[in-house]
Amino acid sequence: MSNRTYKPRRGRVTPRQAAALDIRDGLLIELGRTTFSLTDEWPGLPVILEIGFGTGAATAVMAGDQPQFGLLAVDVHTPGIGDLLHRIRTIGLTNVRIMEADALEVLRTMIPERSLAGIRTYFPDPWPKARHHKRRLVTAEHASLIGSRTASGGTWDLATDWAPYADQMIDVLSKHPMWEGGAVDRPSDRPVTRYEQTALDQGREVTDLRYFRAIR
Ligand SMILES: C[S@@+](CC[C@H](N)C(=O)[O-])C[C@H]1O[C@@H](n2cnc3c(N)ncnc32)[C@H](O)[C@@H]1O
């Protein structure tokens, strides 16, 4: 699959991450072929899907600050899955579930139509080379898939440190019939991750965007 939105990275799994990955307590959900009931996981809670959480540093803080949401956090990178599992067990969070999978596959096969209250995509891989732009997560096709699974009025929050990618996001989403919104001030509840701090240290500007699922 040459159009994967992520770089295959091996990454050493530390003993702490391995121990976290070994525990079977239902926090790690397997990729399946059928939709799973988000409302069974968290009766009554609106659900947010985070695509690409890295080490989950921001995910865990935001989930702790926002117990009114269930958070389904999806990434493909095994060490980071171990990190987030460790974080949520240490804090004792009950409103996070994790999947080790391609989030686009999860959206296609497991998320019911119009069921999500929100999507978060913080610092998706920038794919700076022109020949790799087709691998970016924010394309019209993916915006349609994400839009089809998001409830009317639901939000899509994005951040990027790559100015040309911010331009692409705005270009794609401003033309897309399912989405309305644009650039916003940095949300005060989004913590700075190590990834973002490196970008800031290297002098790159961060753009935050917020879109709403159109009511149609
Ligand atoms: C540049 S990192 C940013 C991580 C984190 N959001 C942060 O701010 O530190 C992008 C992450 O997205 C993940 N990713 C990329 N495409 C993905 C996909 N289709 N499904 C799930 N995760 C994906 C990568 O594995 C990586 O962990």
Side-chain angles (χ1 to χ4, degrees):
M1 257 224 294
S2 61
N3 281 357
R4 278 187 305 217
T5 62
Y6 49 91
K7 305 174 184 119
R9 302 181 275 165
R10 219 169 282 271
R12 195 175 62 87
V13 173
T14 65
R16 192 176 80 181
Q17 290 162 345
L21 287 160
D22 271 351
I23 299 171
R24 295 277 166 263
D25 57 2
L27 296 183
L28 194 59
I29 294 177
E30 296 288 319
L31 182 66
R33 292 282 142 195
T34 51
T35 54
F36 70 106
S37 173
L38 299 170
T39 43
D40 281 356
E41 292 292 322
W42 301 292
L45 289 195
V47 175
I48 292 177
L49 169 71
E50 181 171 1
I51 302 176
F53 57 78
T55 67
T59 310
V61 172
M62 293 178 85
D65 288 348
Q66 300 166 354
Q68 71 276 25
F69 292 108
L71 189 61
L72 181 62
V74 184
D75 204 300
V76 290
H77 192 51
T78 313
I81 307 283
D83 281 334
L84 182 54
L85 281 166
H86 179 75
R87 287 181 205 282
I88 63 178
R89 290 190 189 116
T90 305
I91 306 170
L93 296 175
T94 57
N95 60 333
V96 184
R97 297 290 180 277
I98 304 173
M99 292 186 66
E100 180 172 7
D102 183 332
L104 296 169
E105 185 69 13
V106 173
L107 281 157
R108 279 188 202 106
T109 60
M110 295 181 71
I111 305 290
E113 299 244 327
R114 297 291 196 123
S115 63
L116 296 170
I119 315 284
R120 291 175 180 159
T121 314
Y122 298 140
F123 305 97
D125 295 294
W127 295 111
K129 292 183 184 150
R131 70 188 153 90
H132 286 148
H133 286 181
K134 57 182 181 297
R135 301 183 64 164
R136 286 179 172 168
L137 186 85
V138 183
T139 61
E141 185 193 337
H142 297 160
S144 297
L145 171 64
I146 292 169
S148 70
R149 304 304 193 261
T150 306
S152 292
T155 49
W156 188 3
D157 287 296
L158 304 113
T160 182
D161 59 314
W162 199 253
Y165 197 5
D167 293 342
Q168 173 172 331
M169 292 173 179
I170 291 168
D171 184 50
V172 165
L173 295 175
S174 66
K175 290 179 188 150
H176 201 289
M178 290 178 176
W179 296 102
E180 293 167 354
V184 290
D185 290 341
R186 185 203 168 82
S188 55
D189 58 356
R190 185 174 68 70
V192 179
T193 60
R194 194 137 43 113
Y195 179 92
E196 180 177 10
Q197 192 56 55
T198 304
L200 295 172
D201 293 346
Q202 292 175 357
R204 287 196 295 284
E205 229 175 83
V206 169
T207 305
D208 277 270
L209 303 164
R210 171 163 264 218
Y211 286 83
F212 295 91
R213 176 67 167 88
I215 305 174
R216 32 175 182 258

